[in-house]
Amino acid sequence: MELKLNELTKQFGQKKAVDRMSITMKPGVYGMLGANGAGKTTLMRMICGVLNPTSGDIFLDGNSAENLGEDYRKLLGYLPQDFGYYPEFTAQEFMCYVAALKGIPKQEAKIRTKELLGVVSLSEVSNKKIRTFSGGMKQRLGIAQAVLNDPKILVLDEPTAGLDPKERVHFRNLIADFSKDKIIILSTHIVSDVEYIADTILIIKDGKLIINSPAENITHEMDRKVWKCVVPKEKATEISNKFCLGNLHHGDDDAVILRILSDEIPIDGAINEEPTLEDLYLYHFQSDIAKYRGIR
C-alpha cells in the first residue's frame, strides 16, 4: 500500500496553509511535528477528504483519491483535534452510532465495539454516559471510534491531548499494535510521544515540509550543535538571550547549567551533548521561540 501526496496545496485567501507538499507513505507510523498554524491540521483534513486541496493530488496505490471516492473514504480512520461526541450517549451507543454512519453491519458493529472498548480500557464504563467521562477517557473513546472500520489509513490529530503519562504510554502501545499493516499519521505537541513510536518524522514549518526522515537518523543533523554550558548565575540570562536555549537548570554554588543549540561553540568550556528530537525541533523553530519570549 502506498499513499502519495503530490504538490498538495491549500490556500485561504492570500495565505498558503499547505504549500506544494509532496510525501510518499507506506505502512508505518509517521509523526508530524510543527508549531501552531504550521499547516498540520489542514494537511490531515485534506488527506481525510474533509477539505478539498486548492491544487495537487492524493493517490492511493496509483489511483486518484478523488476518483476512488467512497472506496477511498472506507479505508480511512480519523480522530480530529476537536473530537465531537453526544454527551447523553453511552460509550457503547456512541460506538454503534458511528458504526452505522460508517456502514458497518449491526452485528459486526456490536462485536467490534465490545472488542475496541476493551482495547482502550473502557469496558467497565461502556454503559455510562460520555458526559461523565474524564478528558482522557473521551480521548480513548475517540481513538476507538477512529479504528472501528479497521482502516488502512489512520489519521490522528493531537491524539494524546488530555491523556496523563500512564495513558500516553498505553496509547503508544496501541499505536504500535495498530501500525502493523496501516499507514498511521499523527500530530502532537508532545515530542516524546513521536520520538517513541514514529518510524518516520515529518516536520512542517509555514506550510512547507522541511524534514522527512527515518526516526533512527533524525538527530544526526544536530551532531555537534548541542552544548552543555555551566555559567555563573549573573551571566545566565545574557547568554540565554544570545542563543537558542534548550534547557536551564540551577546547580550548586550559584552555577546555572544551560543546554544550548548552536552551530558554533557558544562559550569557552562548552561540552557537546547527545542530541534529541526535541533539540532538532527547537533548532528549527528557534525564531518562533524567540518571538514568544519577546527576544528580537
Side-chain angles (χ1 to χ4, degrees), residues 238-267:
E238 177 189 344
I239 295 171
S240 297
N241 288 344
K242 286 177 64 177
F243 298 98
C244 180
L245 182 67
N247 198 13
L248 178 152
H249 177 72
H250 287 272
D252 299 327
D253 302 325
D254 285 333
V256 178
I257 302 167
L258 305 178
R259 187 179 181 90
I260 287 175
L261 314 178
S262 172
D263 294 327
E264 305 292 338
I265 185 168
I267 62 171

Side-chain angles (χ1 to χ4, degrees), residues 89-241:
F89 277 24
T90 67
Q92 186 169 307
E93 288 169 343
F94 180 74
M95 290 284 283
C96 289
Y97 168 73
V98 173
L101 293 180
K102 293 186 176 186
I104 300 171
K106 193 171 183 179
Q107 192 57 37
E108 182 184 337
K110 285 183 179 179
I111 296 169
R112 188 85 175 131
T113 290
K114 184 176 181 180
E115 175 192 344
L116 287 172
L117 290 178
V119 167
V120 298
S121 302
L122 291 175
S123 294
E124 293 184 4
V125 294
S126 62
N127 290 314
K128 290 192 175 182
K129 293 188 176 182
I130 301 172
R131 63 177 169 80
T132 67
F133 286 10
S134 67
M137 291 165 71
K138 289 171 185 172
Q139 200 69 359
R140 280 185 274 144
L141 181 61
I143 294 167
Q145 66 80 30
V147 296
L148 252 174
N149 57 327
D150 192 22
K152 294 299 180 185
I153 302 167
L154 180 59
V155 180
L156 306 168
D157 195 357
E158 297 292 340
T160 55
L163 301 185
D164 63 30
K166 183 179 177 181
E167 288 175 320
R168 292 211 313 271
V169 171
H170 184 51
F171 163 78
R172 293 198 297 258
N173 292 336
L174 284 178
I175 294 303
D177 287 338
F178 288 147
S179 67
K180 292 172 184 174
D181 60 348
K182 294 177 174 59
I183 294 171
I184 298 181
I185 308 164
L186 68 92
S187 74
T188 178
H189 285 92
I190 303 170
V191 176
S192 61
D193 284 343
V194 172
E195 199 164 25
Y196 279 116
I197 62 176
D199 301 301
T200 301
I201 303 295
L202 308 173
I203 296 184
I204 297 173
K205 184 175 182 180
D206 298 327
K208 295 180 182 291
L209 182 67
I210 62 170
I211 289 180
N212 177 1
S213 177
E216 60 197 30
N217 301 327
I218 193 72
T219 60
H220 288 349
E221 177 190 333
M222 294 300 294
D223 287 345
R224 301 194 63 77
K225 293 180 181 178
V226 183
W227 306 88
K228 177 182 176 181
C229 306
V230 182
V231 301
K233 184 178 180 181
E234 60 271 16
K235 289 281 187 180
T237 300
E238 177 189 344
I239 295 171
S240 297
N241 288 344

